[in-house]
């Protein structure tokens, strides 16, 4: 993806002129990701860049896709429903926001992975609807690594029990963990999260593959990569500052 962004031909010049800030931002992000990989990770490891699309017009999102973005992250069900038919279908869409059980039915057949599973109740509803639609839904279990009252996520102490419970569901497959460390967190928080991820992975729990550690946003993605993240979720740094706090 970063190679594509770095070498993209100017074949849609008017569009590039309209969204030149996105292109420059993406090149900077790619440079920083590749630099962090070279400094902190083994050769050949893949780090995915997710474009967080909250409040971003579909045309702007599609431009990012045309420049090499292959993964989109949606925060709000209603907003996603209003934009999904306008999106470039070559990009994969995952759901990353807080998800109510009564909203699962609206996204079950459109997203490839739900990152924000933090309860057996939510996992059970995903399982029920996935079975109804003859599919297995991939999920990440979200940890509230900073124990913040305003954020969703299971506590670190309750994580393993929840992972074991979800692993019993036939139509849900746990693919890893997701976390949003508190703003300004030091290396200890990121290191703690990576340690939790590795410990669960070592358990070799059936139906749990632990392939993905989704951690790092606009302000801390390089630090997250240093501490094991292989999926970073970037909104503001890519699309520009909007009128909300998002990452």
């Amino acid at each position: 993806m970063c190679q594509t962004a770095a070498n993209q031909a100017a074949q849609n010049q008017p569009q590039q002129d309209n969204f030149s800030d996105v292109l420059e931002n993406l090149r900077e992000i790619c440079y920083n990701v590749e630099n962090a990989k070279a400094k902190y990770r083994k050769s050949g490891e893949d780090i995915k860049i997710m474009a967080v699309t909250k409040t971003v017009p579909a045309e702007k999102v599609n431009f990012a896709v045309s420049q090499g973005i292959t993964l989109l992250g949606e925060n709000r069900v209603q907003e996603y429903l209003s934009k999904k038919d306008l999106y470039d279908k070559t990009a994969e869409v995952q759901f990353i926001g807080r998800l109510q059980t009564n909203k699962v039915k609206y996204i079950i057949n459109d997203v490839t992975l739900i990152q924000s599973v933090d309860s057996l109740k939510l996992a059970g509803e995903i399982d029920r609807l996935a079975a109804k639609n003859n599919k297995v839904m991939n999920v990440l279990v979200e940890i509230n690594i900073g124990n913040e009252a305003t954020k969703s996520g299971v506590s670190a102490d309750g994580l393993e029990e929840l992972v074991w419970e979800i692993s019993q569901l036939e139509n849900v497959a746990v693919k890893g963990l997701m976390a949003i460390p508190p703003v300004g967190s030091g290396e200890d928080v990121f290191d703690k999260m990576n340690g939790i991820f590795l410990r669960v992975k070592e358990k070799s729990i059936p139906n749990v593959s632990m392939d993905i550690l989704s951690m790092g946003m606009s302000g801390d993605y390089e630090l997250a990569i240093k501490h094991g993240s292989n999926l970073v979720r970037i909104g503001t740094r890519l699309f520009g500052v909007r009128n909300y706090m998002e990452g």
Side-chain angles (χ1 to χ4, degrees):
M1 190 281 288
C2 285
Q3 191 67 27
T4 301
N7 299 323
Q8 187 73 30
Q11 53 192 4
N12 296 313
Q13 194 62 47
Q15 196 177 37
Q16 287 204 4
D17 291 342
N18 289 339
F19 301 125
S20 59
D21 57 331
V22 175
L23 182 56
E24 289 306 310
N25 291 342
L26 181 56
R27 286 171 173 163
E28 180 182 1
I29 291 164
C30 284
Y31 174 84
N32 292 337
V33 167
E34 292 299 320
N35 189 51
K37 283 172 61 178
K39 288 171 65 175
Y40 304 124
R41 305 295 283 273
K42 295 178 181 178
S43 177
E45 286 191 77
D46 183 36
I47 311 293
K48 290 188 176 181
I49 298 172
M50 168 182 280
V52 177
T53 59
K54 186 177 176 182
T55 79
V56 181
E59 184 183 14
K60 200 171 189 178
V61 173
N62 288 340
F63 175 75
V65 173
S66 76
Q67 301 306 307
I69 285 289
T70 60
L71 183 60
L72 308 179
E74 289 287 327
N75 290 80
R76 298 169 174 167
V77 171
Q78 200 62 38
E79 181 183 349
Y80 172 55
L81 295 178
S82 73
K83 295 194 295 186
K84 70 173 187 174
D85 291 336
L86 303 175
Y87 280 160
D88 185 326
K89 298 303 186 290
T90 62
E92 177 185 350
V93 180
Q94 298 182 2
F95 193 82
I96 62 174
R98 185 174 292 185
L99 182 60
Q100 297 173 310
T101 55
N102 65 347
K103 299 289 183 65
V104 175
K105 60 188 176 184
Y106 297 115
I107 66 170
I108 192 72
N109 286 317
D110 293 310
V111 302
T112 61
L113 184 145
I114 298 172
Q115 293 202 14
S116 48
V117 175
D118 61 356
S119 70
L120 185 59
K121 178 182 178 182
L122 176 57
E125 180 64 2
I126 294 170
D127 179 67
R128 184 184 75 81
L129 289 170
K132 184 177 179 180
N133 288 275
N134 298 309
K135 67 185 298 179
V136 174
M137 176 56 72
N138 294 329
V139 305
L140 304 185
V141 177
E142 181 179 2
I143 299 182
N144 188 340
I145 193 64
N147 295 316
E148 297 175 276
T150 58
K151 289 181 181 176
S152 56
V154 64
S155 68
D157 291 339
L159 171 68
E160 285 195 33
E161 180 180 0
L162 180 58
V163 170
W164 275 101
E165 290 174 335
I166 296 175
S167 74
Q168 307 303 307
L169 302 175
E170 292 185 5
N171 292 84
V172 173
V174 177
K175 295 296 183 181
L177 304 179
M178 186 265 260
I180 307 174
V183 175
S185 292
E187 298 214 19
D188 57 326
V189 176
F190 289 86
D191 189 56
K192 177 182 178 182
M193 185 63 212
N194 189 35
I196 293 170
F197 174 77
L198 293 175
R199 282 196 297 275
V200 176
K201 189 171 187 174
E202 290 171 357
K203 301 282 186 181
S204 298
I205 302 171
N207 200 33
V208 175
S209 62
M210 284 293 146
D211 298 323
I212 301 169
L213 176 55
S214 175
M215 178 173 67
M217 299 191 297
S218 290
D220 55 22
Y221 64 96
E222 293 166 274
L223 186 58
I225 291 170
K226 179 178 180 180
H227 291 281
S229 174
N230 56 16
L231 192 160
V232 293
R233 310 179 306 271
I234 302 179
T236 299
R237 187 66 66 88
L238 177 60
F239 293 116
V241 177
R242 287 148 284 166
N243 58 353
Y244 69 96
M245 294 298 291
E246 163 278 316

